[in-house]
Amino acid sequence: MDFFNRTNLPEVTQEHQQEWKSIRKFKEIMEDGRFIVREEGKIDFGIDLTLEVLLNNKYASNYKINIQIKDKLNSETIKNNDLTYSYKLPIKTINYLLNSPNSIVVLYFEDVDKFVWEWAEIIKNDAYRKGIHFDNTRQETYTYRFSKSIDGNMKKGLYKEIITRSELIKSINKRSGLREVGNESFDLNISINSDCTKKALKFYMRKIRKKGMLEQLMIITQYSPKELTIALQDGIITSRLADGIIEIEPIDLQVLIGARNLSVLELNELYEMED
């Protein structure tokens, strides 16, 4: 029997080989003592790998991000004049990634041996600014311009970011409790710093009011004007209120829950609105 000329067997396609190569290369550059890269199971809906942080280069942390990785043979076909790369992504896949708080999309270009990447939430916000709402659009794909490369600085920053995000989630779980928003409803208060949340709410509620969307916010959240006023005065941000604000105005959730302060640019914009 001629074992070398048989064709009635499953074929290893070029797509299979590209996927294996991109995963192998990703492991090579990321497993530097700070991360563990794990492949997902055979059935996946958009998550190819998970990246876990090693604390002190040896302790497993369970601080993870989900990764979808795509391989491209020729980067020149999608390279733009500003050195970004335009890649078409299925919106259903991005929505799936967004159901986890930490997810990124990674592209590997074989011809130049280069990785580029972006957070799934940044991709969604970019689309939102262009009037495309991933939750209800009939559009099936979205083309995003990737610009972030994976290098030493990126790995160092990503390491810190994964720890910060994971610690933030832990902090929310510890501090959250049922908190009365108004006489009519109860919700989970997810703010970890009421003073920061108060400033953020003041900023975004004014932006929403200037857009003429305050009534829309009440419809989305089912909160009364009185309840919104209480939230604003006490620095309360519930999951329902955060979702409603984000649907109208793309924002950083970490600002709303008080994990970081408003930037100088955001504060200047607030002062301008008050003038």
Side-chain angles (χ1 to χ4, degrees):
M1 182 180 293
D2 187 353
F3 291 101
F4 298 100
N5 292 314
R6 292 175 62 180
T7 57
N8 60 334
L9 293 168
E11 180 183 354
V12 178
T13 66
Q14 185 181 48
E15 287 75 19
H16 288 133
Q17 294 180 25
Q18 287 179 239
E19 180 182 350
W20 297 336
K21 185 173 183 178
S22 60
I23 290 173
R24 186 173 66 252
K25 294 290 292 186
F26 188 79
K27 284 184 174 182
E28 285 177 9
I29 67 167
M30 295 303 294
E31 291 185 333
D32 59 358
R34 288 178 291 189
F35 302 100
I36 303 171
V37 181
R38 294 194 182 93
E39 293 187 47
E40 286 293 294
K42 294 185 181 296
I43 300 176
D44 76 81
F45 300 96
I47 298 172
D48 300 308
L49 305 167
T50 56
L51 187 69
E52 179 175 349
V53 162
L54 283 175
L55 300 176
N56 296 327
N57 292 344
K58 60 179 178 180
Y59 297 113
S61 64
N62 202 28
Y63 294 168
K64 301 175 184 175
I65 59 171
N66 298 315
I67 299 168
Q68 183 184 66
I69 190 165
K70 296 292 185 183
D71 185 288
K72 187 77 177 171
L73 287 173
N74 185 1
S75 62
E76 290 299 320
T77 59
I78 61 171
K79 190 174 183 179
N80 303 306
N81 292 333
D82 61 359
L83 303 183
T84 60
Y85 298 88
S86 295
Y87 193 85
K88 189 180 292 185
L89 300 161
I91 290 175
K92 287 183 178 179
T93 300
I94 300 300
N95 281 336
Y96 180 72
L97 292 173
L98 287 165
N99 283 335
S100 174
N102 298 325
S103 297
I104 66 174
V105 178
V106 175
L107 307 182
Y108 176 59
F109 303 132
E110 289 194 26
D111 56 328
V112 290
D113 191 23
K114 178 179 181 178
F115 285 94
V116 294
W117 71 285
E118 188 56 90
W119 291 101
E121 66 207 47
I122 298 294
I123 296 172
K124 180 182 179 180
N125 286 342
D126 183 70
Y128 186 92
R129 284 190 290 270
K130 297 173 182 175
I132 302 168
H133 301 251
F134 279 5
D135 292 332
N136 53 24
T137 183
R138 293 184 179 180
Q139 192 170 312
E140 294 184 354
T141 61
Y142 179 70
T143 300
Y144 183 75
R145 296 168 78 101
F146 287 82
S147 60
K148 298 176 182 174
S149 298
I150 294 182
D151 54 23
N153 288 332
M154 173 271 182
K155 289 193 286 182
K156 185 177 180 180
L158 186 62
Y159 181 84
K160 291 180 179 179
E161 181 73 10
I162 296 171
I163 293 174
T164 299
R165 285 171 175 245
S166 300
E167 288 287 346
L168 177 61
I169 291 169
K170 281 176 60 180
S171 178
I172 290 172
N173 290 338
K174 287 179 182 177
R175 298 178 184 222
S176 292
L178 287 177
R179 167 72 183 270
E180 186 177 0
V181 176
N183 293 328
E184 297 93 8
S185 71
F186 292 81
D187 254 336
L188 190 65
N189 178 26
I190 58 174
S191 173
I192 62 174
N193 186 321
S194 60
D195 288 336
C196 289
T197 295
K198 195 182 298 184
K199 291 177 184 176
L201 281 174
K202 183 179 180 182
F203 175 71
Y204 287 110
M205 295 287 269
R206 290 198 176 196
K207 291 190 78 171
I208 289 170
R209 192 178 291 113
K210 281 190 75 174
K211 283 184 171 183
M213 298 291 285
L214 192 56
E215 186 175 342
Q216 180 67 20
L217 180 63
M218 288 188 285
I219 292 171
I220 294 170
T221 62
Q222 294 297 294
Y223 282 147
S224 67
K226 180 181 177 181
E227 289 173 311
L228 290 179
T229 301
I230 292 171
L232 186 60
Q233 288 175 344
D234 294 348
I236 298 171
I237 185 70
T238 67
S239 299
R240 186 156 38 130
L241 182 54
D243 288 343
I245 293 173
I246 290 170
E247 187 169 328
I248 296 172
E249 182 72 29
I251 61 171
D252 183 354
L253 180 59
Q254 293 191 45
V255 176
L256 274 183
I257 65 174
R260 78 166 177 86
N261 288 312
L262 291 165
S263 67
V264 173
L265 185 64
E266 289 165 332
L267 284 171
N268 287 340
E269 190 175 342
L270 176 60
Y271 296 143
E272 288 174 4
M273 284 189 285
E274 290 178 339
D275 291 340

